Amino acid sequence: MFEKPHARIPVIVFLSLLGAVLISSTAHAAPDRVERELSGPGWTLRLDPGAEWRNDPVFMPPVDLSRVPVNPPSTGWNSMDRLEGKSVSVPGTVEEHFWGHNGNPMGIAGDWRGVSWWSTEFTLDRSLAGKRILLDFESVNLRAEVFINRKLVGYDVIGNTPFTVDATGAAIFDGPNRLDIRITDPVGNFTWEDNDLCRWGKNLVPAVHGFGGITGRVYLRAVDAVRIADIYVENKPAVTEAEVFVTLENTAGKTVEGTVALTVHEWKNPGNVLWEKTVPASVPADGKTVSFAVKAPKARPWGIRDPHLYVASARFTASDRSSADAVDKRFGFRYFTVGEKDGDKRFYLNGKRVFIFAAMTRGFWPKGGMHPTAETARKDIDLTLRLGYNMMLFHRAIGQTMVIDLCDEAGLLVYEEPSGYRCEPEQDETVRTWRREKLRRMVLRERSHPSHVICNLANEAEKRPSEDDIANVRMIQSLDPGRIVTYTSHYSNGGKYWENRTPDPFKLHVLPFDDTHYTAGWFDQHHWFAHSCYMDKCYRNPRFFARGVISGPTNIVPSDSLHVLPKNEIIFWGEEGQWGTMMRLEKIRADILRTGATGWREKMLLSWYDRYERFLDESGFRTSFPTVDELTLSMGRNLHYYHGRILENARMGNLSDGFNLNGWAAPETSEDIADVYRYPTADPDILSYYARPLYIAVKIPDKALPTGAVPRADFFIINELNVKGRHTLRVSCTAPDGAEVFSKSFPVTVLGGEDYGQLLVEGVQLPPAAQAGYYTVSAELRDPKGAVVTTGSDDCYAVDLRTGPGLRGTVAVIDTSGAVNAFLSETRGITLPAFDPEQPDPDIIILGAHDFRKVAASYRSRYINTILDRVASGTRLIVLQNADRWAEELAGLFSHYAIEYKRSVRWGSDGRLIAGKHPVLDGLPQSQAMHWEYQGFYDNDLSGLDITRLGTETIVALACENRPDILDALVRIPCGRGEVYLTTLNILDELSNPRPQSVTAKRMFLNMVEK
């Protein structure tokens, strides 16, 4: 059963009244609270490298300070100023100010581990004597030992959650008070991973990020013996109703009589009162919770992008006037739950079906790494809205209060994980207590936020829920019964997640105001796409497409056992995609130069920018990309477009309920839709196009195809605006020259209501693609009066293989696969002779499949040197396989030293291919990061050659999402009177591939041979 909040539960409330200041006065302070924010400027940060911390014990709350060792500065209090320090602001981290203090700022080598001191001063008016003096911390990382005037008054090791320190016995009223906070940063990572336990001496610590400091705001509060410790607003299924719980804390040592008044008014408009009531309250020594049943029929519900906020203002007044306190809690009237229609489980907000589109943030920020500024937090939310999201999902990292407040104000839903919950491989009692307390504090902190709708314990749990896990779920239910709680994201089933089983312990979840622990009805699936490009296989037909059916681990390739998505479960695509793109280096550089390169990894990012600048100059790509920013934006287009099309798939199928896009602000320089500095990694219009509430989704199964092929298209409506009834769908197709080559209208009936995705027309056959270039298929939905209701479009790209200048001169081939001759026979009607070193020099030698080791071991003088001698005399050598080995030969200290070659690098799906301007790319898209038009190249793991660009021509470059290097994937090397083309692209494989998408590789090969 749901347990109402009890006074024994220690709860921290951070008020929105930040303007009150503790000022000097000779008058006796009246009963009431007085408060001041201590965070901001005016702090000193000192490093204490001589402090002992490695083998310290840890103490779980509630902490008995008499058992906690007192740790003064290693220099002693009187010599503390000898420690290296800086004037700083709070929130802040050591890494924000001392990254690379050890001399190495690269990667994560510049991390600081150990003890730091954060110090400031404050004064208290003597009139406040007799009140309790409290210090409220939003968060620190990791351990905080709090000293007032050199006396230890507080200790907390949970990390990144609120806690309170009672400084009453140490604070003075006749002079300045010195506040020193000893922060210990003993462990931590700089990645999304939060599974493994960290080792701190004899202690095991739940995974945490590796920044040390005061990561939230700090408040000083003077309160009376009876104070309001918490206000909790519990939303109800009747949307304009709520139950408000006011928790009173009493340190008077006796029962105190008084009244509690509650007023509910509009946020920022206190005069608009919706509801008010005053009740008597007899507050015993152990405290009391008073509840109010609020009914406000005139309240406007809090909704997505429609955030109507209200304030519950509570005031306690003692009958004898000895104590008084007033606290505000902002909230919204809303109800989020799971409902069902026609056997299909769905999300509902305020009685209306909603589809969740979530940004998966990892909780990393510029400069300090672990905390936002007001500017970056606002930038975070503004970009989330700009891209079309409606939820912020705090992934493996507890959210920051400032950001969640802004989600409330923006109308963005929140899904949150506490981080560090899985705690593998083994858990001791301290670890279980640690994670439970962190989870409890998170729940208490968030439970009145209207944005916060889902709490998840563990990401991708590999073990079934234990008794401790089940107990933690029950704890959340008792503290916050109106919340959806899930045990884990990513349905596992022992790794066979495509075999959806129901019931299953991994699906453990609870619903609002429901005591049942369900093990069926919630399907959360993660997918890590193996290619860094949108592929046509993501959509085959209206009955088979990615996130439309479950067909095996990739959910892409058809199989004999095709399973339809289960209607009777919530379908939450909990983590979509695994790949990222390069961050906006030029934008970031401008930010860093404006503020100084002091923060974590900032000097490294400046170095990365310089390397991209050098690439543009040395490769000649600056004619295609005048700036670094234009290059990185082009690289990001693949990522944004892929996610937009998969989001479209999930929506148009009408069965999916949520889509969490992986990811947002990745820490390991493997950036996602937004980088850590909150810059979009591509044009925001790409993704926001597919997040619109209403448009026509045009689906072309074969977007890359040869001229002469006949494209076809299917048409769905994405409809969250309840368009319904009879309409006309007009379809048209525009050729590369701008002429309309097709037009047809179809009568359609739009269902509307809760059907946000619907197939309208399928299998529309378009005219053969007679020209090379882009064809645009457009659709307009018109109402019975002829007015355009909405539109949509898609492109395909036709490549001409039929025309060309033909082969010039003599050509020979070395190719054990036979693919080269088979392709040339089909497209040009010719068969090439095998290369014979005894014959006269050919104009072109094509190296297809060959055993380089055998050639090198037995025939070096006859083949390799002979071939390269021919090149020096004027032959063109096209190397389609073993490019790395031939690069070694060209860099060898023999007679054919033509390049400086360092290595071959395999980047797999982390790589991004970039096309420059070159005749080898004639008839193909140029001056862009290679996109779906070149999707055949992304089928294999991508590799490139690290060649010094002096004297070479880069035709296709290979960059990486998380490395500063840019390699050659197709390079022309002048050599004597001849030239060598080396490529790591899988052109040879594509020559024998019958699918339409291989056409770009085939055209590239023809250009190399025929130009």
Side-chain angles (χ1 to χ4, degrees):
M1 286 293 293
F2 161 52
E3 299 174 7
K4 298 299 182 185
H6 194 277
R8 289 194 180 94
I9 297 173
V11 178
I12 302 304
V13 173
F14 293 119
L15 305 181
S16 59
L17 307 175
L18 305 182
V21 181
L22 303 181
I23 58 175
S24 297
S25 171
T26 57
H28 180 71
D32 224 327
R33 77 166 52 197
V34 183
E35 67 175 25
R36 175 185 176 187
E37 183 178 356
L38 297 183
S39 39
W43 290 71
T44 300
L45 163 62
R46 297 180 177 88
L47 303 183
D48 195 349
E52 293 295 329
W53 57 272
R54 290 175 178 81
N55 298 305
D56 286 356
V58 298
F59 300 89
M60 292 292 103
V63 176
D64 180 358
L65 281 182
S66 66
R67 297 180 57 239
V68 176
V70 177
N71 296 308
S74 62
T75 59
W77 287 108
N78 293 333
S79 301
M80 187 177 183
D81 288 342
R82 297 179 183 174
L83 297 173
E84 182 178 3
K86 290 184 179 181
S87 296
V88 300
S89 290
V90 166
T93 64
V94 173
E95 287 74 15
E96 179 176 355
H97 302 284
F98 289 100
W99 187 263
H101 185 260
N102 59 1
N104 185 1
M106 299 302 290
I108 63 170
D111 180 30
W112 166 266
R113 289 198 179 184
V115 171
S116 59
W117 290 87
W118 301 71
S119 307
T120 192
E121 290 186 349
F122 63 89
T123 58
L124 293 171
D125 186 82
R126 176 156 294 281
S127 66
L128 299 177
K131 289 183 180 288
R132 295 175 66 201
I133 306 302
L134 304 178
L135 290 169
D136 285 337
F137 293 85
E138 278 189 343
S139 64
V140 304
N141 195 52
L142 179 65
R143 180 179 65 181
E145 296 161 274
V146 183
F147 293 83
I148 296 288
N149 301 322
R150 302 183 178 180
K151 178 180 179 181
L152 181 66
V153 294
Y155 175 102
D156 190 78
V157 76
I158 299 303
N160 303 297
T161 54
F163 66 97
T164 293
V165 169
D166 191 332
T168 305
I172 59 175
F173 300 88
D174 54 1
N177 287 273
R178 174 67 177 259
L179 171 60
D180 295 292
I181 304 168
R182 185 179 190 262
I183 296 293
T184 306
D185 173 11
V187 294
N189 59 44
F190 295 87
T191 177
W192 51 266
E193 194 278 324
D194 77 328
N195 304 330
D196 298 333
L197 289 163
C198 303
R199 174 65 65 177
W200 174 11
K202 296 181 179 179
N203 309 303
L204 292 174
V205 181
V208 67
H209 292 166
F211 302 92
I214 302 174
T215 54
R217 292 165 290 195
V218 183
Y219 298 95
L220 174 67
R221 294 186 170 105
V223 299
D224 296 326
V226 179
R227 73 171 182 126
I228 298 172
D230 184 36
I231 300 177
Y232 161 42
V233 180
E234 183 180 279
N235 294 109
K236 296 296 183 182
V239 177
T240 57
E241 297 181 7
E243 190 165 4
V244 180
F245 300 92
V246 180
T247 300
L248 301 168
E249 185 181 87
N250 183 4
T251 59
K254 62 179 181 179
T255 298
V256 177
E257 303 294 335
T259 60
V260 178
L262 182 72
T263 301
V264 175
H265 62 81
E266 188 178 352
W267 183 49
K268 294 187 177 180
N269 185 13
N272 185 12
V273 175
L274 275 70
W275 188 95
E276 57 186 339
K277 188 175 183 179
T278 301
V279 298
S282 181
V283 187
D286 61 351
K288 182 176 185 177
T289 296
V290 178
S291 66
F292 296 86
V294 175
K295 295 184 178 181
K298 294 184 179 181
R300 301 176 68 185
W302 184 96
I304 295 172
R305 297 175 182 253
D306 189 26
H308 300 285
L309 293 170
Y310 296 88
V311 175
S313 295
R315 181 169 185 83
F316 171 79
T317 305
S319 299
D320 61 4
R321 305 296 178 183
S322 61
S323 291
D325 198 13
V327 173
D328 287 353
K329 176 67 70 174
R330 194 177 67 177
F331 73 101
F333 289 96
R334 68 105 181 97
Y335 190 65
F336 185 87
T337 191
V338 171
E340 187 172 313
K341 182 178 180 181
D342 301 327
D344 181 16
K345 289 190 183 296
R346 303 171 172 185
F347 287 128
Y348 288 86
L349 175 62
N350 304 331
K352 180 182 178 181
R353 185 188 186 189
V354 294
F355 177 90
I356 288 176
F357 178 33
M360 193 179 84
T361 183
R362 277 79 168 223
F364 286 85
W365 299 89
K367 274 311 182 200
M370 208 166 187
H371 66 89
T373 63
E375 178 185 3
T376 55
R378 170 56 64 187
K379 190 175 180 181
D380 189 54
I381 298 302
D382 289 346
L383 181 57
T384 307
L385 295 169
R386 171 72 179 83
L387 288 163
Y389 293 98
N390 60 21
M391 173 179 274
M392 182 63 76
L393 188 148
F394 293 92
H395 171 72
R396 297 181 182 245
I398 189 170
Q400 295 87 2
T401 297
M402 184 184 298
V403 179
I404 297 175
D405 285 342
L406 290 174
C407 288
D408 289 344
E409 296 171 19
L412 278 174
L413 299 171
V414 166
Y415 172 124
E416 191 171 24
E417 298 167 350
S419 77
Y421 186 86
R422 279 174 59 176
C423 300
E424 295 173 350
E426 300 294 336
Q427 305 168 12
D428 58 23
E429 184 56 37
T430 297
V431 167
R432 287 191 289 271
T433 301
W434 201 320
R435 71 173 189 173
R436 182 183 306 117
E437 178 63 12
K438 184 177 183 181
L439 177 63
R440 187 187 70 86
R441 291 184 187 183
M442 185 190 86
V443 171
L444 293 174
R445 189 187 76 175
E446 318 299 21
R447 60 184 181 172
S448 294
H449 284 282
S451 59
H452 195 272
V453 295
I454 300 175
C455 172
N456 180 62
L457 271 62
N459 184 267
E460 297 177 357
E462 296 180 350
K463 298 178 181 178
R464 295 183 176 191
S466 64
E467 288 300 317
D468 190 60
D469 296 319
I470 294 171
N472 288 338
V473 172
R474 291 197 182 102
M475 175 190 70
I476 299 172
Q477 287 181 286
S478 70
L479 297 173
D480 187 10
R483 193 81 54 214
I484 294 175
V485 183
T486 54
Y487 162 63
T488 185
S489 64
H490 185 60
Y491 168 64
S492 178
N493 185 25
K496 298 180 179 180
Y497 50 82
W498 59 92
E499 295 181 4
N500 184 28
R501 297 179 182 176
T502 297
D504 191 283
F506 283 97
K507 296 183 179 182
L508 172 63
H509 65 283
V510 297
L511 301 176
F513 304 110
D514 187 341
D515 293 335
T516 307
H517 283 197
Y518 293 99
T519 56
W522 190 282
F523 182 76
D524 184 339
Q525 182 59 64
H526 294 186
H527 291 94
W528 305 280
F529 197 59
H531 317 283
S532 49
C533 173
Y534 176 77
M535 314 288 276
D536 284 342
K537 59 186 175 182
C538 293
Y539 178 84
R540 298 299 182 91
N541 58 59
R543 279 154 292 282
F544 185 83
F545 50 88
R547 312 311 167 254
V549 295
I550 300 172
S551 60
T554 64
N555 194 22
I556 296 295
V557 181
S559 71
D560 293 334
S561 56
L562 201 63
H563 301 283
V564 177
L565 291 174
K567 288 180 62 175
N568 61 349
E569 296 198 302
I570 286 291
I571 306 299
F572 194 93
W573 302 117
E575 194 170 318
E576 281 299 318
Q578 68 169 359
W579 49 292
T581 187
M582 180 52 70
M583 61 186 69
R584 297 283 293 280
L585 291 172
E586 188 166 342
K587 292 280 190 182
I588 293 169
R589 176 179 179 270
D591 286 350
I592 295 173
L593 294 181
R594 187 173 62 251
T595 60
T598 58
W600 74 294
R601 75 180 189 180
E602 288 188 333
K603 291 181 180 178
M604 182 187 74
L605 297 183
L606 292 179
S607 173
W608 284 26
Y609 170 83
D610 291 341
R611 293 175 74 168
Y612 265 60
E613 280 280 13
R614 288 198 299 272
F615 164 75
L616 291 178
D617 287 332
E618 294 171 358
S619 66
F621 271 45
R622 196 174 291 280
T623 58
S624 297
F625 307 99
T627 66
V628 169
D629 199 50
E630 288 175 271
L631 175 58
T632 55
L633 280 171
S634 184
M635 290 170 60
R637 188 166 70 102
N638 274 11
L639 177 71
H640 286 235
Y641 183 83
Y642 164 78
H643 279 301
R645 298 315 300 258
I646 303 302
L647 169 66
E648 180 177 73
N649 284 5
R651 298 173 75 196
M652 71 193 193
N654 201 47
L655 282 175
S656 297
D657 302 293
F659 185 96
N660 175 35
L661 196 161
N662 181 1
W664 188 270
E668 313 102 316
T669 64
S670 175
E671 297 300 341
D672 301 305
I673 294 296
D675 63 31
V676 168
Y677 287 73
R678 277 31 179 207
Y679 288 111
T681 52
D683 182 351
D685 289 342
I686 297 172
L687 184 61
S688 64
Y689 176 91
Y690 298 102
R692 293 179 296 165
L694 178 67
Y695 73 98
I696 301 299
V698 182
K699 308 298 286 191
I700 303 175
D702 293 318
K703 287 171 61 63
L705 70 169
T707 54
V710 178
R712 63 179 176 85
D714 305 316
F715 302 86
F716 294 76
I717 186 171
I718 304 298
N719 182 12
E720 295 187 22
L721 298 185
N722 194 26
V723 173
K724 64 174 66 175
R726 294 181 179 179
H727 290 72
T728 299
L729 184 73
R730 182 183 182 274
V731 174
S732 63
C733 181
T734 303
D737 61 5
E740 185 176 270
V741 295
F742 178 84
S743 176
K744 188 173 182 178
S745 295
F746 302 86
V748 296
T749 299
V750 181
L751 298 177
E754 292 189 2
D755 291 292
Y756 60 72
Q758 179 190 347
L759 175 65
L760 297 179
V761 178
E762 68 173 298
V764 176
Q765 185 169 302
L766 304 169
Q771 306 172 35
Y774 288 100
Y775 286 80
T776 299
V777 180
S778 302
E780 291 181 343
L781 186 71
R782 295 178 178 270
D783 66 16
K785 295 182 179 180
V788 176
V789 177
T790 190
T791 62
S793 66
D794 194 12
D795 294 331
C796 61
Y797 191 84
V799 178
D800 181 11
L801 298 180
R802 296 178 294 186
T803 62
L807 275 67
R808 299 173 182 175
T810 57
V811 184
V813 64
I814 300 173
D815 179 26
T816 58
S817 72
V820 172
N821 264 329
F823 171 71
L824 290 175
S825 175
E826 179 184 357
T827 57
R828 295 295 184 262
I830 61 174
T831 300
L832 300 178
F835 171 70
D836 185 347
E838 304 300 330
Q839 295 297 315
D841 294 357
D843 296 299
I844 301 173
I845 301 173
I846 301 171
L847 272 174
H850 61 284
D851 188 338
F852 184 89
R853 289 174 297 178
K854 181 178 179 180
V855 170
S858 303
Y859 304 102
R860 177 178 296 276
S861 61
R862 187 177 181 195
Y863 276 88
I864 296 177
N865 283 342
T866 299
I867 290 172
L868 295 181
D869 278 340
R870 302 290 174 88
V871 170
S873 297
T875 293
R876 180 188 310 159
L877 175 64
I878 300 171
V879 180
L880 302 179
Q881 193 182 78
N882 296 322
D884 55 337
R885 306 304 299 272
W886 286 89
E888 290 175 3
E889 291 297 323
L890 288 168
L893 297 178
F894 297 103
S895 58
H896 302 289
Y897 183 29
I899 58 173
E900 291 183 7
Y901 170 68
K902 300 176 184 177
R903 56 180 179 153
S904 173
V905 180
R906 183 172 297 277
W907 278 333
S909 61
D910 291 343
R912 296 295 174 279
L913 297 169
I914 307 168
K917 292 180 181 178
H918 198 275
V920 167
L921 301 176
D922 284 350
L924 300 172
Q926 302 189 40
S927 299
Q928 65 166 47
M930 287 181 165
H931 199 23
W932 53 262
E933 299 93 332
Y934 292 96
Q935 60 187 275
F937 291 148
Y938 288 95
D939 254 348
N940 292 358
D941 282 348
L942 297 174
S943 63
L945 306 174
D946 190 352
I947 299 174
T948 300
R949 292 192 169 86
L950 181 63
T952 66
E953 283 186 273
T954 300
I955 301 170
V956 177
L958 177 64
C960 189
E961 66 184 46
N962 51 21
R963 296 286 189 275
D965 313 90
I966 301 182
L967 311 175
D968 285 309
L970 174 57
V971 58
R972 176 184 173 271
I973 304 166
C975 188
R977 298 186 62 180
E979 58 187 354
V980 178
Y981 286 94
L982 296 180
T983 184
T984 56
L985 302 171
N986 60 326
I987 293 176
L988 185 63
D989 293 339
E990 290 291 273
L991 293 183
S992 58
N993 195 326
R995 65 182 180 175
Q997 293 77 14
S998 65
V999 68
T1000 46
K1002 294 171 179 175
R1003 175 59 192 256
M1004 194 179 297
F1005 171 72
L1006 288 174
N1007 287 341
M1008 281 191 282
V1009 176
E1010 297 180 342
K1011 77 173 187 67

